């Protein structure tokens, strides 16, 4: 039991780290510039509504919550095969991001229809990788229980 809890926590932390690293690597670098061409707001307005610097503790907390969400899904569904876990995580990410992005698009000018679609697709790919990482750790725990 203790080993399972430890692996669950390790998987959630690894999922968190994967989300954080991929998000920074993709969204804060080339993808940021790519999405910039779809902005509906002026640079002055963006400067008014953006935090500078980013609130790092809040960002870590958000990624931690997401890492645990994906870990719960993989664990409860027993998706210990990496491809199945990646598909489960990307499906959840796709649906929740569709909700978030299109809600944002519907009520605010913070994104365009193009950026909502592109962001949803990119987030889906990121979470495919997160699901794989989480499954590899949880599968290790499951294999140790069987021995």
């Amino acid at each position: 039991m203790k080993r399972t809890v430890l692996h669950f926590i390790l998987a959630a932390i690894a999922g968190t780290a994967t989300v954080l690293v991929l998000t920074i690597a993709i969204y804060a670098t080339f993808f940021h510039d790519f999405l910039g061409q779809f902005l509906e707001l002026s640079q002055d307005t963006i400067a008014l509504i953006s935090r500078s610097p980013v609130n790092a503790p809040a960002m870590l907390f958000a990624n931690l919550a997401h890492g645990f969400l994906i870990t719960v899904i993989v664990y409860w569904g027993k998706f210990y095969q990496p491809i199945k876990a990646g598909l489960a995580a990307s499906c959840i990410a796709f649906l929740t991001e569709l909700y978030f992005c299109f809600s944002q698009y519907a009520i605010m000018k913070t994104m365009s229809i193009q950026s909502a679609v592109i962001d949803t697709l990119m987030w889906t790919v990121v979470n495919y990788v997160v699901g794989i990482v989480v499954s590899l750790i949880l599968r290790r725990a499951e294999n140790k229980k069987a021995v």
Side-chain angles (χ1 to χ4, degrees):
M1 177 66 175
K2 288 181 182 178
R3 185 174 289 178
T4 302
V5 171
L6 177 63
H7 279 90
F8 181 89
I9 292 170
L10 288 173
I13 291 171
T16 299
T18 304
V19 169
L20 195 57
V21 167
L22 288 177
T23 300
I24 290 169
I26 294 170
Y27 285 89
T29 57
F30 75 91
F31 197 59
H32 179 268
D33 293 336
F34 179 72
L35 282 178
Q37 66 184 318
F38 301 110
L39 292 176
E40 291 187 21
L41 303 176
S42 70
Q43 290 300 320
D44 291 338
T45 303
I46 291 170
L48 283 173
I49 65 172
S50 298
R51 292 193 190 278
S52 186
V54 170
N55 185 325
M59 182 62 77
L60 181 59
F61 183 72
N63 283 275
L64 192 60
H66 191 75
F68 271 88
L69 171 67
I70 298 301
T71 304
V72 165
I73 290 164
V74 171
Y75 179 76
W76 282 354
K78 298 188 184 328
F79 301 121
Y80 301 135
Q81 295 174 338
I83 291 174
K84 284 186 178 180
L87 289 172
S90 62
C91 182
I92 294 299
F94 177 77
L95 294 172
T96 56
E97 194 69 0
L98 273 179
Y99 164 76
F100 175 76
C101 287
F102 282 86
S103 294
Q104 288 289 101
Y105 173 73
I107 60 176
M108 301 177 79
K109 291 183 177 182
T110 55
M111 63 176 43
S112 66
I113 192 74
Q114 295 94 336
S115 63
V117 169
I118 294 164
D119 191 44
T120 298
L121 295 175
M122 188 60 80
W123 187 238
T124 301
V125 171
V126 165
N127 279 277
Y128 185 82
V129 175
V130 174
I132 290 171
V133 169
V134 167
S135 75
L136 292 173
I137 295 169
L138 292 178
R139 185 170 74 176
R140 177 178 279 174
E142 194 64 22
N143 289 342
K144 286 184 179 182
K145 279 187 355 186
V147 173

